Amino acid sequence: MAWDSKIKIFNLPLFSFGAQPRGIIAIGWISGGIIAIGQFGYGVITIAQFGIGIISLTQMGAGFIVIGQMAIGLIFAFGQLALGFFSIGGGGFGYYGMAFEKNLGEQFREAYYQFLDNPSPLYWWIVLLALLSIYAFSKRSVISTDMSVLDLFRPKIKNSLEHIRLKALALLTNEKKLLEIAIHDPSLEVRVNALNRMGDIKLLVEFIMGEHPEDLKIIALKKIKNENVLMDIFKGGISDSLRMEIINLMTGQKHLADAAAFLQSSKHKTAAMKKISDQNLLLDIILKETDTSIVKMAMGRFTSKDTISRLAREGVSPQARILALEKIDAGNGELLAGIALNDADNTVRMHAAGRIKDPAVLEKIAMEDRDSGVRIAAVNRIADKNILMKIIHAAGDRSVTDAASQRLEKIRPFYNTYMIEMNCPSCSQPVFLNGPVRNIKCSFCLKAVNIKDSVWKRVLNAEFGVSRTDSLNGLIIEKTMDSASCSGCGEPLETDDIPDQSCTDIPCGSCGKGNHSFPVPGWFTWAGSGNHVFCAARETEDSEIDEKMEPVAISCIRCGGPLEITKDTPRNVKCSYCNTIQYLPDPLWISFHPVKTKKSWTIRFNFKEREKVNKELGRFKK
């Protein structure tokens, strides 16, 4: 806005030119300085159209000594219209004043004689101006162009200017005056500073409980460190936002628990409970809580099994007890049984029954509970066929007996029946896997074939129907959901109740043939819930048959010498007497090496396998 010279005096440029120059000598539109020349000016010596200065030469001006068309001078004014203690002009107004009626020299002389005749007014006037100047100098720190005249006579703390009040506030220690300022000052910044300087708890509480802006109340709250006082405020008639602020400020577990118990708002109660680490305090609150969202939040905070157990037994809200039940280990049968048998709420008893494993407890609930829904929940956990039959005959309630009948059908075993073959790695002739075996002898080349784990994994994971896997020696799997059938006549066998660990022959009800069965081998881990095998070859079966075979004696066709034939004898056998090689006839050879055929065999799974398969089939249909 102005060009300033590099030479400076008292930190002011010696020369300044421009629209708004400031300097020792300032020339421009609106100029200010020791000597100010411009359209508008202010300074010690002012030469301008409109100006203010100690000595002012202007068209319209004011100052101590002023010469202009319109002049107002505290000591001397000269102009067409002049107002001053000494005034000379066309319209001169002043104690020593006169109009332009004589020549200028005579007017000055006459004014001088007036002064000599009565000099006291001028002396007193000069003394008054000096006193005013001294007073203004003493107020230099508060004097501003923005302030009112009355500010010169007010305490700094009541000045109309904010920055002056802030400076005065920094020296104020009277708590009551600080409170008054915090309540009444028009400036938010001043009120905030006043609150920050306060330390009297009673006065801070008084402010918080009054009708004041929330932001200021929060500042006052943060000044209070005594949590007993904060708790008293918390229970008073304050807003929710202030209560939330108090929750954020408090750390005492007991106070936070009291706050959570006092509140109705789930938002505030949750905020308080999140800060509580004491499990017992948290439990005392949740035992009486009915808000499900709060109970869920608290459940995530509980680490003690005893705490969860107590909530499951004593919670006021049935939903709270149910949420606790879901966290209780299913192995805690005694607790679950106690709740299932004694809780007053049907829904809670139903959920407890749905977690129990003990068949005796489930039977008691299914037979005795007063609510059919609870009884049905217990029935749906029973996997014992005898208990279900007992319920069907003695429960009395039609809905319960129907549920037991449906459960009985549901827990029936699930069967997979297989017919499997693959190529012999040595001779490429078919080898039939007629049971869960790891080694088998090829009927053609008589070499042992090792059945790898990957083959059995593929078998058990095969889809229903016929599948082929060339990478596993042309493995062909035919898999169905048929139950076990007689290996003689093909009629279904009664196998549901065969004990898992038994090894027995199951007589066919049609042809009477015995069909052997045995538990799923321990190494057959891929069977999952499979528990028994029917009509299948066992791994030791070949060796057992071999052990039972007796040697057969024949005569050499040439010399008549005796030859002893066993299972290990090659088909082209050499006579030890005449060295004649002779070919063993088919009947004899087949008696030692019977031709194996592909047969079906079955694995029984428990009912959970059916649920798994049904889910898979449901997903496939979708």
Side-chain angles (χ1 to χ4, degrees):
M1 298 294 288
W3 174 87
D4 298 333
S5 68
K6 294 183 179 180
I7 301 172
K8 292 186 177 182
I9 301 174
F10 303 120
N11 206 34
L12 290 173
L14 179 61
F15 295 100
S16 181
F17 302 92
Q20 294 182 354
R22 302 287 184 273
I24 301 298
I25 300 174
I27 302 173
W29 178 253
I30 301 174
S31 56
I34 303 300
I35 300 174
I37 302 172
Q39 182 74 14
F40 301 91
Y42 56 90
V44 177
I45 299 173
T46 303
I47 302 172
Q49 186 172 2
F50 303 95
I52 297 173
I54 295 176
I55 299 174
S56 183
L57 304 175
T58 63
Q59 184 176 358
M60 298 177 66
F64 282 85
I65 299 173
V66 183
I67 299 174
Q69 187 174 0
M70 297 179 66
I72 299 173
L74 293 176
I75 296 177
F76 178 79
F78 178 84
Q80 186 174 358
L81 181 61
L83 174 64
F85 205 83
F86 269 102
S87 63
I88 299 174
F93 302 95
Y95 191 85
Y96 304 107
M98 56 197 69
F100 288 132
E101 295 177 354
K102 304 178 181 179
N103 63 53
L104 189 58
E106 291 178 355
Q107 286 182 318
F108 274 106
R109 189 169 47 252
E110 185 174 335
Y112 176 69
Y113 288 142
Q114 289 181 11
F115 164 70
L116 291 178
D117 291 340
N118 186 16
S120 296
L122 181 58
Y123 295 153
W124 285 111
W125 180 246
I126 292 172
V127 169
L128 178 61
L129 290 177
L131 292 173
L132 288 173
S133 298
I134 293 170
Y135 180 75
F137 183 79
S138 69
K139 295 286 185 177
R140 66 189 181 281
S141 62
V142 300
I143 293 176
S144 169
T145 54
D146 298 327
M147 65 186 293
S148 68
V149 176
L150 294 177
D151 286 333
L152 295 172
F153 307 99
R154 291 173 177 158
K156 292 181 182 180
I157 199 64
K158 293 188 177 181
N159 197 284
S160 63
L161 299 180
E162 180 185 281
H163 70 276
I164 293 175
R165 297 200 304 279
L166 286 171
K167 289 181 180 180
L169 186 63
L171 303 174
L172 188 63
T173 58
N174 187 299
E175 294 276 344
K176 289 188 176 181
K177 288 185 178 179
L178 287 170
L179 176 62
E180 183 181 347
I181 293 167
I183 294 173
H184 299 297
D185 197 278
S187 165
L188 179 62
E189 185 177 355
V190 173
R191 298 175 74 178
V192 169
N193 276 268
L195 286 170
N196 285 330
R197 288 187 57 78
M198 290 178 65
D200 189 304
I201 292 178
K202 289 184 178 180
L203 294 180
L204 287 168
V205 172
E206 179 183 335
F207 182 86
I208 293 166
M209 302 308 292
E211 296 293 329
H212 307 300
E214 291 286 293
D215 291 346
L216 294 179
K217 289 185 177 184
I218 290 173
I219 292 171
L221 274 174
K222 290 180 178 179
K223 296 284 291 180
I224 300 174
K225 306 301 180 185
N226 188 317
E227 294 199 3
N228 290 324
V229 175
L230 288 175
M231 198 64 213
D232 290 339
I233 298 171
F234 187 89
K235 293 181 178 180
I238 60 173
S239 66
D240 287 345
S241 62
L242 287 182
R243 286 199 173 97
M244 184 64 80
E245 190 64 35
I246 291 175
I247 290 171
N248 293 333
L249 291 172
M250 290 195 301
T251 57
Q253 297 289 288
K254 186 65 170 63
H255 288 124
L256 287 166
D258 289 344
F262 175 81
L263 290 165
Q264 297 299 320
S265 164
S266 60
K267 177 182 177 181
H268 293 77
K269 186 172 290 191
T270 299
M273 291 174 65
K274 283 182 177 180
K275 296 187 70 176
I276 299 173
S277 57
D278 187 306
Q279 298 273 297
N280 291 326
L281 289 175
L282 204 56
L283 178 61
D284 289 341
I285 299 168
I286 294 301
L287 285 174
K288 303 172 186 177
E289 185 55 56
T290 57
D291 189 315
T292 304
S293 63
I294 294 177
V295 175
K296 284 183 178 179
M297 182 278 298
M299 289 299 297
R301 306 283 310 285
F302 289 140
T303 57
S304 167
K305 292 182 179 179
D306 292 339
T307 301
I308 296 172
S309 298
R310 185 180 168 196
L311 178 59
R313 293 192 306 269
E314 303 175 18
V316 170
S317 164
Q319 190 61 37
R321 300 201 296 278
I322 290 170
L323 290 171
L325 279 172
E326 293 173 355
K327 298 273 285 186
I328 294 174
D329 183 58
N332 194 342
E334 184 178 351
L335 173 62
L336 291 170
I339 295 171
L341 292 169
N342 302 312
D343 198 279
D345 187 87
N346 294 343
T347 309
V348 176
R349 294 201 310 281
M350 188 183 301
H351 276 79
R355 303 291 310 284
I356 293 173
K357 295 181 178 179
D358 188 333
V361 175
L362 291 169
E363 180 183 357
K364 182 177 177 62
I365 296 170
M367 296 293 287
E368 299 178 6
D369 197 274
R370 61 182 176 275
D371 180 74
S372 59
V374 178
R375 298 174 70 184
I376 292 171
V379 165
N380 288 332
R381 291 286 292 173
I382 298 173
D384 188 302
K385 179 179 177 180
N386 294 325
I387 293 177
L388 290 170
M389 290 298 297
K390 183 177 178 181
I391 293 170
I392 290 172
H393 291 102
D397 188 316
R398 179 64 179 272
S399 62
V400 177
T401 57
D402 287 347
S405 298
Q406 293 172 9
R407 180 65 176 172
L408 190 62
E409 179 63 27
K410 188 175 182 180
I411 66 169
R412 284 188 63 250
F414 179 76
Y415 296 88
N416 282 346
T417 295
Y418 303 93
M419 292 183 73
I420 308 166
E421 69 174 87
M422 61 186 296
N423 297 327
C424 172
S426 299
C427 67
S428 299
Q429 293 299 317
V431 176
F432 306 119
L433 306 185
N434 291 335
V437 296
R438 288 176 288 187
N439 291 283
I440 192 171
K441 183 187 291 186
C442 175
S443 298
F444 295 91
C445 66
L446 302 182
K447 290 185 178 180
V449 179
N450 176 256
I451 311 301
K452 297 179 180 179
D453 292 346
S454 56
V455 171
W456 288 118
K457 288 181 182 178
R458 179 69 185 90
V459 168
L460 291 170
N461 291 323
E463 296 180 356
F464 293 102
V466 179
S467 60
R468 181 184 179 95
T469 307
D470 291 333
S471 61
L472 295 174
N473 293 314
L475 178 66
I476 300 174
I477 306 166
E478 183 178 346
K479 180 180 177 180
T480 68
M481 286 187 283
D482 295 336
S483 59
S485 58
C486 175
S487 58
C489 66
E491 288 296 316
L493 299 174
E494 295 293 335
T495 58
D496 286 0
D497 298 325
I498 301 297
D500 292 351
Q501 299 304 315
S502 67
C503 292
T504 184
D505 279 348
I506 306 168
C508 174
S510 179
C511 68
K513 179 181 179 180
N515 295 270
H516 54 282
S517 70
F518 53 90
V520 169
W523 60 268
F524 208 60
T525 55
W526 311 280
S529 60
N531 52 47
H532 214 73
V533 181
F534 302 93
C535 307
R538 299 190 68 169
E539 194 155 28
T540 59
E541 189 171 292
D542 285 345
S543 60
E544 290 173 356
I545 293 173
D546 289 346
E547 289 175 1
K548 293 179 181 179
M549 287 184 176
E550 297 292 336
V552 176
I554 64 173
S555 298
C556 174
I557 59 176
R558 183 171 184 178
C559 69
L563 298 176
E564 187 177 79
I565 308 301
T566 68
K567 66 178 183 64
D568 296 321
T569 303
R571 190 156 194 179
N572 292 322
V573 62
K574 180 187 288 187
C575 176
S576 61
Y577 300 100
C578 65
N579 293 325
T580 301
I581 297 175
Q582 52 190 311
Y583 185 77
L584 296 179
D586 286 345
L588 179 58
W589 178 257
I590 292 173
S591 69
F592 281 104
H593 305 285
V595 177
K596 293 185 179 179
T597 59
K598 184 163 61 173
K599 298 179 180 179
S600 65
W601 56 282
T602 305
I603 297 179
R604 185 183 69 192
F605 299 86
N606 68 27
F607 66 92
K608 293 181 180 178
E609 184 70 16
R610 178 186 288 106
E611 295 174 352
K612 176 183 174 183
V613 171
N614 288 340
K615 286 181 180 178
E616 292 296 327
L617 290 175
R619 188 179 297 114
F620 176 76
K621 289 178 180 178
K622 289 180 180 179

